[in-house]
Every structure is written in C-alpha cells, then in structure tokens.
Amino acid sequence: FAEAAGVGGPAGRAVVWPAPLRLQDIAGKSSAPRGFLCAITHEVMTQPALLLSPQLTSVPSYERDAVERWLQRCCTDPRTRTPLRSYRLMPNDDLRRAIDDWARGIEE
C-alpha cells in the first residue's frame, strides 16, 4: 500500500482513473440510492473511489476529490475516523457504472 492517494496500482503502477461522470442537475437527489452518495459531500458520486487500507475492516467508497482532500488533512477514514498508516485509492468501476445507469434512467 502506498501512502499517497492514487498511487500504487498493480505492480506499483499509477492508477488510471476514468473521467468523472457528467451528471446534469439531478433534481431530487434524495431519490438517489444511499450507496450512490459520498459520505463526505453527501452528493451523488461522479468519480467513486475505493479506500483500501489494512487498518479498515471494510472498503468504503467516497468521491475521489473529496477523499483526496480529506486524506491530505488527516490520515483517517472519513466515516469511522480510523487512523490509516497506509492506504490506496482505486476507482470503483462497478459503482460508477451503477450510478451512470441510474442517472441515464432519470435523464431519459
């Protein structure tokens, strides 16, 4: 595990992030499934990131920009405040696809 966000993909390669989703003014954000909302921003995630750490018993997802800013200020899990000695951020591709499918259903 690397101690810098976005570093440490397979074999130490840098992580390749997909572009953020373009979610046009989704009215009624309250209708979004709770798992689509970032625990930091309370908004629908456009670039969901998995926070991987040996110190965590689960693998939470957060909005990439929000969790990167959080981890620069304090090296803890934003939800549980568990101190993180090491961590890695990885794209949550499955969640991104689910959010994209949900948003397209709303926009159509």
Side-chain angles (χ1 to χ4, degrees):
F1 284 90
E3 294 201 22
V7 176
R13 293 187 304 255
V15 176
V16 177
W17 289 88
L21 293 171
R22 296 180 189 265
L23 303 178
Q24 303 303 324
D25 302 322
I26 296 177
K29 144 182 107 160
S30 62
S31 68
R34 191 171 65 176
F36 291 0
L37 303 179
C38 174
I40 301 168
T41 65
H42 306 287
E43 299 288 333
V44 175
M45 290 181 268
T46 61
Q47 203 172 30
L50 295 165
L51 177 58
L52 305 161
S53 174
Q55 289 79 47
L56 298 175
T57 58
S58 65
V59 183
S61 288
Y62 300 102
E63 178 65 34
R64 179 186 176 195
D65 289 342
V67 73
E68 285 178 341
R69 284 192 308 273
W70 176 277
L71 292 168
Q72 286 173 357
R73 289 192 319 270
C74 49
C75 202
T76 63
D77 173 47
R79 191 174 301 146
T80 65
R81 304 298 197 264
T82 301
L84 304 176
R85 289 187 304 276
S86 62
Y87 64 86
R88 179 178 4 183
L89 293 177
M90 298 291 294
N92 188 336
D93 295 324
D94 291 336
L95 180 56
R96 184 180 186 281
R97 276 190 293 278
I99 293 169
D100 190 35
D101 290 346
W102 170 80
R104 288 175 190 269
I106 286 181
E107 294 172 358
E108 294 176 351

